[in-house]
Amino acid sequence: MLGDDAELTAALRAAQDGSESAFRTVYRAVHPRLLGYVRTLVGDHDAEDVASEAWLQIARDLERFDGDADRFRGWAARIARNRALDHIRMRGRRPAIGGDETELAGRPAECDTAGEAMEALATDSTLSLIARLPQDQAEAVVLRVVVGLDAKSAAETLGKRPGAVRTAAHRGLKRLAELLACDPESGGGLDALPPQREPRGRAVTSASVTHTRARTQKDM
């Protein structure tokens, strides 16, 4: 392990030993992309609340977690997905964001490279476009590209085979390229993914996340 993953793994170990500053480091590294994943499942309005519920469970169960940074991202994504699915079941359906993606079937994209689509995934407008994909494609794209999971970890999160996740991600990226080409608000601009250590979104409250050592999100 090199670079950020090694640092995140070290922070995880320290957080499991009770370091609040290390837990804040873990939160800051993982939260922005985890929130992006939750947004594709429940929409913008409920994403912060669902993500907070996920972090409550992450903080509570962290001492029992066993693995490195990559395994932690997959573990956190599974927790977030379960919380999101619980939320969707209570509400009754997945949020409808944007139009019907079937309108693009068979339409050639002006920019059809997956690489360009991947570079744009961090922007708010592109996350909204991802939410217009079929759910299996949206989740595969966000887990592989935004959260940064490999196919095996993404498959474990979704309860599918790695090959199925790779296929869904490929189809989702192709469809996303079509959406980007057709979306006037994108302006053709493809912004790079933000570094993991710069969280986005609102500040969380001190009561949002607790742990046996009285961790809070207030200082994260």
Side-chain angles (χ1 to χ4, degrees), residues 3-5 7-8 25-26 28-29 32 194-199:
D4 289 346
D5 271 6
E7 294 176 8
L8 179 55
T25 296
V26 172
R28 288 170 176 157
Q196 287 189 17
R197 297 190 180 281
E198 293 186 13

Side-chain angles (χ1 to χ4, degrees), residues 27 51-52 55 204-206 208-209 215-220:
Y27 175 85
S52 291
W55 278 105
V204 290
T205 64
S206 59
S208 297
V209 171
R215 296 186 180 118
T216 72
Q217 284 187 353
K218 181 178 180 181
D219 300 321
M220 292 175 189

Side-chain angles (χ1 to χ4, degrees), residues 177-217:
E178 295 174 349
L179 285 165
L180 287 167
C182 298
D183 180 25
E185 293 186 1
S186 70
L190 297 174
D191 299 325
L193 285 168
Q196 287 189 17
R197 297 190 180 281
E198 293 186 13
R200 298 166 53 235
R202 64 175 186 176
V204 290
T205 64
S206 59
S208 297
V209 171
T210 58
H211 191 258
T212 55
R213 296 177 182 82
R215 296 186 180 118
T216 72
Q217 284 187 353

Side-chain angles (χ1 to χ4, degrees), residues 65-80:
F65 170 75
D66 182 23
D68 59 11
D70 192 56
R71 289 184 62 84
F72 178 79
R73 281 189 285 264
W75 180 70
R78 287 193 294 276
I79 290 174

Side-chain angles (χ1 to χ4, degrees), residues 21 41 45 56 69 72 80 102 108-109 111 115-116 119 124 138 160-161 163-164 167 169 183 203 216-217:
S21 63
L41 294 171
H45 181 71
L56 280 168
F72 178 79
T102 59
C111 58
E116 289 187 348
E119 290 177 358
D124 290 343
K160 297 182 178 181
R161 296 186 304 275
T167 298
D183 180 25
T216 72
Q217 284 187 353

